[in-house]
Amino acid sequence: MEAGLQRRVEALLQEADVIPGGERPQDIDILDPRFYARVLGDGSLGLGESYMDGWWQARSLDAFLSRLLAVRLDERVHGAGEVWDALKAKLFNLQAGQGGYEVGRRHYDLGNDLYRAMLGKRLVYSCGYWRDAGNLDDAQEAKLDLICRKLGLRPGMRVLDIGCGWGEALRYAAERYGIEGVGVTISQEQAEFARELCVGLPLEIRLQDYRELDEPFDAILSVGMFEHVGVKNYRTYFEVARRCLRDDGLFLLHCIGSNVSRERTDPWIARYIFPNSMLPSAVQIAAAIEELFVLEDWHNFGTDYDRTLQAWRDNVEAAWEQLDPRYDERFRRMWRFYLAGSMASFRTRHAQLWQLVLSPQGVPGGYVAPR
């Protein structure tokens, strides 16, 4: 039985040009024979958990996972638990009520020390813009400035940031463009940090669900938050943005996107990293904005996320020994798998990074998009 399982797994790996015991970057060492049954029985969940448990190791984890995604092995090996996950996502609104706060508690509240070590000069947990940047800090500043320019921010404008994180985007916009504004987040840790960061600026940071918003703004931005909204709430999300945006305002949505319409996320990501999350497709977004907004611009710079993630990995690997002991070896292996899997998704173009600019009634004469 065990030999048969091993042959099946090795045949699948061969399709991805991966050789157990090989010496190339994409090759792996299998350290526990239980690996074969676990991967075949639990799919991506088993692959990630067995890595966390030390059952296998890779020369280059991102190179290995890129090979798997390139031949779509993730779509061909499924665990039994995925059936239940898919059914739950179909039947229930997992982001409703307190479900909307779960990702804040389990991911964003892990500890500001971890994110400070990983993210660089600014606590910006989203893709940098590397067009003219040579390092992570410059790429993140370029991204923030690109957002401000796309929105046409000017002194005195009132701006809303839906899912404001640690407040860096609003602070940048207030300091460089003279705006005032409101940021909402579902993370207690982020809210407290953002309030301290923005002291002395005309900014208000709220621990609040976006669905409660109903007040006017000249411009709205939302960076890296839409991935947690859930397909059952996409329409509601855009309805909230529309009711809060003045008729002559602009809304910028910055989010990771999928090439395929789905109603749930990868089982390993859902269990360990982003509970109740999912990546929207272009079709799902287009349907959700119908009769609410005019689509002025759709910008894809997804390959920049691979480079951003590599910089995050380098930062956090250099910092582990100085961080709290609660980030033990199993946590570190989990975090490595998360970052490497994300790199692989963008490198193989399975995931994209989109910035959309939306207007309520269309920009008179047309919108000219900065790059």
Side-chain angles (χ1 to χ4, degrees), residues 27-279:
D27 293 332
I28 63 173
D29 292 324
I30 296 168
L31 308 176
D32 192 311
R34 292 175 293 175
F35 165 84
Y36 304 106
R38 193 166 185 181
V39 168
L40 290 175
D42 293 333
S44 66
L45 181 62
L47 183 70
E49 288 184 335
S50 61
Y51 180 77
M52 292 164 61
D53 291 339
W55 290 11
W56 60 277
Q57 61 188 18
R59 308 281 179 277
S60 168
L61 190 55
D62 51 299
F64 166 66
L65 294 174
S66 294
R67 293 283 181 163
L68 300 192
L69 292 184
V71 296
R72 302 186 180 276
L73 287 188
D74 58 310
E75 299 174 9
R76 294 162 51 195
V77 182
H78 298 285
E82 292 187 52
V83 177
W84 172 235
D85 288 344
L87 186 60
K88 282 195 298 183
K90 190 77 173 176
L91 294 178
F92 305 112
N93 186 346
L94 300 176
Q95 296 79 18
Q98 287 301 304
Y101 285 83
E102 187 175 0
V103 70
R105 292 189 296 266
R106 290 178 50 189
H107 189 80
Y108 296 106
D109 286 347
L110 276 172
N112 288 337
D113 59 337
L114 173 66
Y115 293 112
R116 272 197 296 262
M118 184 173 81
L119 299 181
K121 176 182 176 182
R122 295 180 182 274
L123 281 177
V124 179
Y125 195 15
S126 54
C127 182
Y129 189 50
W130 293 83
R131 184 177 185 178
D132 298 311
N135 59 65
L136 176 64
D137 292 336
D138 288 349
Q140 292 295 11
E141 183 161 324
K143 186 265 302 295
L144 296 177
D145 201 66
L146 180 67
I147 290 170
C148 293
R149 289 186 289 121
K150 285 182 174 181
L151 287 171
L153 298 186
R154 302 181 305 278
M157 292 178 72
R158 187 167 189 257
V159 177
L160 170 65
D161 186 345
I162 303 176
C164 66
W166 290 278
E168 293 281 7
L170 275 178
R171 182 179 74 154
Y172 184 91
E175 290 179 341
R176 302 291 182 90
Y177 288 84
I179 63 95
E180 59 186 64
V182 173
V184 298
T185 177
I186 57 171
S187 165
Q188 183 69 46
E189 291 276 339
Q190 287 185 334
E192 292 175 1
F193 184 96
R195 287 169 187 147
E196 292 181 13
L197 185 76
C198 298
V199 166
L201 296 171
L203 301 172
E204 179 188 0
I205 305 298
R206 304 175 186 168
L207 188 67
Q208 183 180 23
D209 190 296
Y210 71 92
R211 285 165 283 209
E212 299 170 1
L213 291 164
D214 189 6
E215 55 195 280
F217 293 91
D218 300 302
I220 300 176
L221 61 108
S222 186
V223 181
M225 179 270 186
F226 192 64
E227 299 89 332
H228 307 301
V229 167
V231 67
K232 294 184 183 300
N233 305 298
Y234 289 167
R235 183 68 177 182
T236 298
Y237 172 90
F238 286 112
E239 287 173 344
V240 169
R242 178 62 191 95
R243 79 183 179 216
C244 290
L245 185 62
R246 299 187 191 279
D247 288 346
D248 60 351
L250 293 174
F251 172 35
L252 184 139
L253 175 69
H254 173 118
C255 72
I256 301 170
S258 170
N259 300 334
V260 180
S261 297
R262 295 189 173 94
E263 295 188 347
R264 60 185 180 86
T265 193
D266 174 82
W268 186 87
I269 289 290
R271 178 170 295 187
Y272 292 99
I273 306 298
F274 295 120
N276 300 336
S277 66
M278 65 185 67
L279 301 184

Side-chain angles (χ1 to χ4, degrees), residues 300-339:
N300 183 359
F301 52 99
T303 54
D304 283 21
Y305 225 142
D306 185 7
R307 197 168 174 183
T308 302
L309 287 153
Q310 291 179 51
W312 290 349
R313 176 188 59 191
D314 293 344
N315 285 346
V316 77
E317 289 294 344
W320 283 128
E321 298 308 317
Q322 287 73 50
L323 291 175
D324 192 285
R326 72 181 183 278
Y327 305 121
D328 59 14
E329 182 58 28
R330 193 167 193 269
F331 181 94
R332 296 180 192 185
R333 292 178 72 86
M334 176 191 78
W335 208 250
R336 289 179 187 128
F337 193 84
Y338 155 51
L339 293 177

